[in-house]
Amino acid sequence: MKLEHFDRITQDSGVMGGKPCIRGMRITVGRILSQIGAGETIEELLIDYPCLEREDILQSLKYAAWLAQGYEVALA
C-alpha cells in the first residue's frame, strides 16, 4: 500500500496540531482508533459522528495498519 491510497486522511499544522485527521475535519484518526479499541462499532461511530462515512473509518484502520508496518510519511 502506498501513501496515495489514503485520500481521506489529511494532515495540516493548523488543524488539531498537525495530527492525521479525517478529510480536514477536527476528527483525528487517533480518536477513531481509540473508540474502536474501546469496543465501539463502526455503526456506533457513524451515529456519534454523522459527518463521517464508513470509508473514513475503514481508511483510518488501514492507515493505522500501514503505520504499524513501519512506514511514516507526512501527509499533504
Side-chain angles (χ1 to χ4, degrees), residues 9-29:
I9 309 298
T10 57
Q11 196 170 12
D12 179 341
S13 61
V15 178
M16 299 302 288
K19 293 178 182 177
C21 293
I22 298 175
R23 293 186 287 125
M25 295 183 279
R26 295 186 175 278
I27 302 171
T28 64
V29 171

Side-chain angles (χ1 to χ4, degrees), residues 47-67:
I47 291 168
D48 291 345
Y49 301 97
C51 57
L52 290 181
E53 299 170 2
R54 179 173 296 278
E55 185 57 33
D56 295 326
I57 297 167
L58 294 175
Q59 197 166 106
S60 293
L61 291 166
K62 290 175 190 173
Y63 178 72
W66 184 73
L67 285 179

